[in-house]
Amino acid sequence: MPETTSDDRLTPDLWRRVDAYLTETLVGHEAGLDDAVADQSAAGLPPIEVAPVNGKLLHLIARMSGARRVLEIGTLGAYSTIWLARAVPADGRVVTIEAEPHIADIARANLDRAGVGEKVDILLGRGADVLPTLVDQEPFDLVFIDADKESNTIYIDWAARLGRAGTVVVVDNTVRGGEVANPATENPQIIGVQRGLEMLGRDPRFDATAIQTLDAKGYDGIALALVV
Ligand SMILES: C[S@@+](CC[C@H](N)C(=O)[O-])C[C@H]1O[C@@H](n2cnc3c(N)ncnc32)[C@H](O)[C@@H]1O
Protein backbone atom coordinates (compact mmCIF):
# COMPACT_ATOMS: atom_id res chain seq x y z
CA MET A 1 0.00 0.00 0.00
CA PRO A 2 1.45 3.41 -0.92
CA GLU A 3 2.53 5.62 1.93
CA THR A 4 0.04 8.40 2.72
CA THR A 5 1.51 11.66 1.48
CA SER A 6 0.71 15.08 2.83
CA ASP A 7 -1.05 15.76 -0.50
CA ASP A 8 -3.56 13.01 0.30
CA ARG A 9 -4.33 14.64 3.63
CA LEU A 10 -4.76 18.17 2.26
CA THR A 11 -8.39 19.02 2.92
CA PRO A 12 -9.97 22.42 3.54
CA ASP A 13 -10.40 21.43 7.18
CA LEU A 14 -6.66 20.70 7.51
CA TRP A 15 -5.38 23.88 5.88
CA ARG A 16 -7.90 26.03 7.75
CA ARG A 17 -6.72 24.52 11.04
CA VAL A 18 -3.10 25.10 10.02
CA ASP A 19 -3.86 28.71 9.08
CA ALA A 20 -5.60 29.28 12.42
CA TYR A 21 -2.61 27.74 14.22
CA LEU A 22 -0.10 29.89 12.32
CA THR A 23 -2.19 33.02 12.87
CA GLU A 24 -2.49 32.40 16.61
CA THR A 25 1.17 31.45 16.94
CA LEU A 26 2.85 34.06 14.78
CA VAL A 27 0.43 36.94 14.25
CA GLY A 28 -1.87 37.15 17.27
CA HIS A 29 -4.49 39.85 17.71
CA GLU A 30 -4.22 43.57 17.85
CA ALA A 31 -7.13 45.95 18.35
CA GLY A 32 -6.35 48.40 15.52
CA LEU A 33 -6.31 45.60 12.98
CA ASP A 34 -9.16 43.50 14.36
CA ASP A 35 -11.40 46.59 14.73
CA ALA A 36 -10.70 47.60 11.12
CA VAL A 37 -12.00 44.25 9.89
CA ALA A 38 -15.01 44.41 12.24
CA ASP A 39 -15.98 47.91 11.10
CA GLN A 40 -15.49 47.01 7.47
CA SER A 41 -17.84 44.07 7.95
CA ALA A 42 -20.39 46.15 9.89
CA ALA A 43 -20.41 48.62 6.99
CA GLY A 44 -21.32 45.79 4.62
CA LEU A 45 -17.99 45.66 2.79
CA PRO A 46 -16.90 42.24 1.52
CA PRO A 47 -14.29 40.27 3.54
CA ILE A 48 -11.67 40.54 0.82
CA GLU A 49 -8.83 41.98 2.89
CA VAL A 50 -5.64 39.95 3.02
CA ALA A 51 -5.52 37.14 5.58
CA PRO A 52 -3.69 37.96 8.84
CA VAL A 53 -0.66 35.84 7.88
CA ASN A 54 -0.40 37.75 4.62
CA GLY A 55 -0.91 41.13 6.29
CA LYS A 56 2.05 40.27 8.46
CA LEU A 57 3.95 39.03 5.42
CA LEU A 58 3.47 42.42 3.75
CA HIS A 59 4.57 44.12 6.95
CA LEU A 60 7.73 42.01 7.13
CA ILE A 61 8.52 42.46 3.42
CA ALA A 62 8.30 46.22 3.96
CA ARG A 63 10.62 46.07 6.97
CA MET A 64 13.04 43.57 5.39
CA SER A 65 13.38 45.77 2.32
CA GLY A 66 13.77 48.93 4.43
CA ALA A 67 10.77 50.53 2.69
CA ARG A 68 10.15 54.15 3.64
CA ARG A 69 7.61 54.99 0.93
CA VAL A 70 4.87 52.50 0.13
CA LEU A 71 2.22 52.66 -2.58
CA GLU A 72 -0.94 50.57 -2.29
CA ILE A 73 -3.61 50.25 -4.98
CA GLY A 74 -6.89 49.06 -3.40
CA THR A 75 -7.52 50.21 0.18
CA LEU A 76 -10.87 48.69 1.27
CA GLY A 77 -11.12 49.12 5.08
CA ALA A 78 -7.34 49.74 5.33
CA TYR A 79 -6.49 46.39 6.95
CA SER A 80 -3.41 45.89 4.75
CA THR A 81 -2.71 49.63 4.89
CA ILE A 82 -2.42 49.49 8.68
CA TRP A 83 0.04 46.60 8.43
CA LEU A 84 2.10 48.58 5.91
CA ALA A 85 1.94 51.86 7.84
CA ARG A 86 3.23 50.07 10.93
CA ALA A 87 6.23 48.87 8.91
CA VAL A 88 7.49 52.24 7.66
CA PRO A 89 9.63 54.49 9.86
CA ALA A 90 8.33 57.65 11.55
CA ASP A 91 9.24 59.77 8.51
CA GLY A 92 7.81 57.17 6.12
CA ARG A 93 4.64 57.40 4.06
CA VAL A 94 1.98 55.07 2.71
CA VAL A 95 -0.02 56.32 -0.25
CA THR A 96 -3.12 54.21 -0.86
CA ILE A 97 -5.59 54.54 -3.74
CA GLU A 98 -9.31 53.77 -3.38
CA ALA A 99 -11.99 54.27 -6.04
CA GLU A 100 -15.04 54.44 -3.76
CA PRO A 101 -15.55 57.52 -1.52
CA HIS A 102 -17.65 55.73 1.12
CA ILE A 103 -14.99 53.02 1.41
CA ALA A 104 -12.24 55.64 1.71
CA ASP A 105 -14.16 57.19 4.64
CA ILE A 106 -14.22 53.85 6.46
CA ALA A 107 -10.51 53.38 5.75
CA ARG A 108 -9.69 56.84 7.11
CA ALA A 109 -11.54 56.17 10.37
CA ASN A 110 -9.79 52.81 10.76
CA LEU A 111 -6.35 54.28 10.10
CA ASP A 112 -6.87 57.09 12.60
CA ARG A 113 -8.15 54.72 15.28
CA ALA A 114 -5.17 52.41 14.69
CA GLY A 115 -2.87 55.40 15.34
CA VAL A 116 -1.25 55.46 11.89
CA GLY A 117 -3.45 58.02 10.16
CA GLU A 118 -0.72 60.65 9.98
CA LYS A 119 1.51 58.35 7.94
CA VAL A 120 -1.13 57.58 5.29
CA ASP A 121 -2.52 59.53 2.33
CA ILE A 122 -5.71 58.08 0.85
CA LEU A 123 -6.06 59.20 -2.75
CA LEU A 124 -9.57 58.94 -4.08
CA GLY A 125 -10.14 57.77 -7.64
CA ARG A 126 -9.51 54.97 -10.06
CA GLY A 127 -5.95 53.68 -9.96
CA ALA A 128 -5.34 54.29 -13.65
CA ASP A 129 -6.31 57.96 -13.22
CA VAL A 130 -4.52 58.60 -9.92
CA LEU A 131 -1.19 56.87 -10.63
CA PRO A 132 -0.02 59.38 -13.30
CA THR A 133 -0.47 62.20 -10.74
CA LEU A 134 2.31 60.65 -8.60
CA VAL A 135 5.15 61.04 -11.13
CA ASP A 136 6.68 64.01 -9.33
CA GLN A 137 6.80 62.27 -5.97
CA GLU A 138 9.90 60.55 -4.59
CA PRO A 139 10.10 56.95 -5.88
CA PHE A 140 8.21 54.29 -3.96
CA ASP A 141 10.18 51.49 -2.30
CA LEU A 142 7.30 48.99 -2.17
CA VAL A 143 4.15 48.74 -4.28
CA PHE A 144 1.21 46.53 -3.26
CA ILE A 145 -1.32 45.89 -6.04
CA ASP A 146 -4.73 44.72 -4.78
CA ALA A 147 -7.56 46.39 -6.73
CA ASP A 148 -9.46 45.54 -9.95
CA LYS A 149 -7.55 42.62 -11.43
CA GLU A 150 -8.46 43.64 -14.99
CA SER A 151 -6.05 46.59 -14.57
CA ASN A 152 -3.09 44.61 -13.22
CA THR A 153 -0.87 45.28 -16.25
CA ILE A 154 -1.52 49.03 -15.92
CA TYR A 155 -0.65 48.91 -12.22
CA ILE A 156 2.46 46.78 -12.77
CA ASP A 157 3.65 49.23 -15.43
CA TRP A 158 3.15 52.15 -13.04
CA ALA A 159 4.93 50.27 -10.26
CA ALA A 160 8.08 50.32 -12.39
CA ARG A 161 7.58 53.93 -13.46
CA LEU A 162 6.96 55.17 -9.91
CA GLY A 163 9.64 52.92 -8.40
CA ARG A 164 13.40 52.60 -8.80
CA ALA A 165 15.87 49.76 -9.16
CA GLY A 166 15.28 47.74 -6.01
CA THR A 167 11.59 48.55 -5.58
CA VAL A 168 9.60 45.54 -4.40
CA VAL A 169 6.25 44.83 -6.08
CA VAL A 170 3.65 42.53 -4.52
CA VAL A 171 0.57 41.53 -6.52
CA ASP A 172 -2.25 39.90 -4.58
CA ASN A 173 -4.72 37.20 -5.69
CA THR A 174 -2.55 35.62 -8.35
CA VAL A 175 -3.82 32.03 -8.12
CA ARG A 176 -7.57 32.45 -7.61
CA GLY A 177 -8.43 28.90 -6.64
CA GLY A 178 -6.20 27.57 -9.44
CA GLU A 179 -8.09 29.34 -12.23
CA VAL A 180 -4.91 31.21 -13.14
CA ALA A 181 -3.69 28.02 -14.83
CA ASN A 182 -6.83 27.75 -16.99
CA PRO A 183 -5.89 29.00 -20.47
CA ALA A 184 -9.55 28.84 -21.59
CA THR A 185 -10.91 31.10 -18.87
CA GLU A 186 -13.27 33.84 -20.01
CA ASN A 187 -13.36 35.53 -16.59
CA PRO A 188 -11.95 39.05 -17.14
CA GLN A 189 -10.45 39.13 -13.63
CA ILE A 190 -8.57 35.89 -14.18
CA ILE A 191 -7.44 37.09 -17.61
CA GLY A 192 -6.20 40.27 -15.90
CA VAL A 193 -4.21 38.21 -13.41
CA GLN A 194 -2.75 36.07 -16.21
CA ARG A 195 -1.75 39.12 -18.27
CA GLY A 196 -0.12 40.65 -15.20
CA LEU A 197 1.91 37.52 -14.46
CA GLU A 198 2.93 37.17 -18.11
CA MET A 199 4.08 40.79 -18.04
CA LEU A 200 6.15 40.18 -14.90
CA GLY A 201 7.73 37.14 -16.59
CA ARG A 202 8.59 38.88 -19.81
CA ASP A 203 9.14 42.58 -19.06
CA PRO A 204 12.88 43.22 -18.55
CA ARG A 205 12.12 45.80 -15.86
CA PHE A 206 11.14 43.00 -13.44
CA ASP A 207 12.48 39.82 -11.91
CA ALA A 208 9.56 37.92 -10.39
CA THR A 209 8.22 34.79 -8.81
CA ALA A 210 4.95 33.74 -7.17
CA ILE A 211 3.85 31.65 -4.23
CA GLN A 212 0.60 29.76 -3.73
CA THR A 213 -1.18 30.41 -0.46
CA LEU A 214 -3.78 28.50 1.56
CA ASP A 215 -5.19 30.62 4.32
CA ALA A 216 -8.38 32.08 5.77
CA LYS A 217 -9.18 33.44 2.30
CA GLY A 218 -8.89 30.06 0.60
CA TYR A 219 -6.55 28.93 -2.18
CA ASP A 220 -4.82 31.90 -3.77
CA GLY A 221 -1.35 33.38 -4.08
CA ILE A 222 0.86 36.40 -4.43
CA ALA A 223 3.43 37.44 -7.01
CA LEU A 224 6.63 39.05 -5.77
CA ALA A 225 8.77 41.11 -8.10
CA LEU A 226 11.86 43.25 -7.94
CA VAL A 227 12.30 46.26 -10.20
CA VAL A 228 15.76 45.68 -11.71
C1 LIG B 1 -9.33 43.51 -2.47
S1 LIG B 1 -9.87 45.07 -1.94
C2 LIG B 1 -8.43 45.71 -1.13
C3 LIG B 1 -8.11 44.99 0.13
C4 LIG B 1 -7.04 45.65 0.97
N1 LIG B 1 -5.82 45.84 0.20
C5 LIG B 1 -6.73 44.78 2.18
O1 LIG B 1 -6.06 43.76 1.99
O2 LIG B 1 -7.19 45.12 3.28
C6 LIG B 1 -9.92 46.00 -3.42
C7 LIG B 1 -10.28 47.46 -3.24
O3 LIG B 1 -9.95 48.12 -4.46
C8 LIG B 1 -10.96 49.05 -4.74
N2 LIG B 1 -10.94 49.27 -6.20
C9 LIG B 1 -11.60 48.55 -7.16
N3 LIG B 1 -11.33 49.04 -8.37
C10 LIG B 1 -10.48 50.08 -8.19
C11 LIG B 1 -9.82 50.98 -9.06
N4 LIG B 1 -9.99 50.92 -10.39
N5 LIG B 1 -9.02 51.92 -8.51
C12 LIG B 1 -8.84 51.99 -7.17
N6 LIG B 1 -9.43 51.16 -6.30
C13 LIG B 1 -10.23 50.22 -6.80
C14 LIG B 1 -12.24 48.44 -4.22
O4 LIG B 1 -13.22 49.43 -3.99
C15 LIG B 1 -11.75 47.73 -2.97
O5 LIG B 1 -11.90 48.56 -1.85
Side-chain angles (χ1 to χ4, degrees), residues 82-115:
I82 295 170
W83 274 115
L84 290 165
R86 291 198 171 156
V88 299
D91 67 342
R93 201 102 210 119
V94 177
V95 175
T96 183
I97 303 174
E98 173 54 54
E100 300 293 336
H102 74 285
I103 297 181
D105 289 345
I106 294 164
R108 172 48 66 198
N110 284 337
L111 289 162
D112 290 344
R113 185 180 44 201

Side-chain angles (χ1 to χ4, degrees), residues 37 40 45-51 55 58 72-84 96-100 102-104 123-130 144-151 155 172-173 176:
V37 173
Q40 176 184 298
L45 300 184
I48 52 173
E49 77 284 355
V50 293
L58 281 174
E72 175 181 65
I73 307 158
T75 316
L76 196 66
Y79 180 75
S80 54
T81 325
I82 295 170
W83 274 115
L84 290 165
T96 183
I97 303 174
E98 173 54 54
E100 300 293 336
H102 74 285
I103 297 181
L123 304 184
L124 194 55
R126 295 184 58 75
D129 300 328
V130 174
F144 177 47
I145 298 173
D146 189 19
D148 53 320
K149 311 307 169 193
E150 298 88 334
S151 303
Y155 300 151
D172 200 19
N173 307 123
R176 302 240 123 184

Side-chain angles (χ1 to χ4, degrees), residues 29-65:
H29 295 279
E30 198 277 310
L33 289 159
D34 293 350
D35 292 349
V37 173
D39 275 20
Q40 176 184 298
S41 169
L45 300 184
I48 52 173
E49 77 284 355
V50 293
V53 285
N54 284 330
K56 182 128 188 212
L57 177 65
L58 281 174
H59 172 91
L60 289 173
I61 290 171
R63 284 173 58 197
M64 288 169 178
S65 61

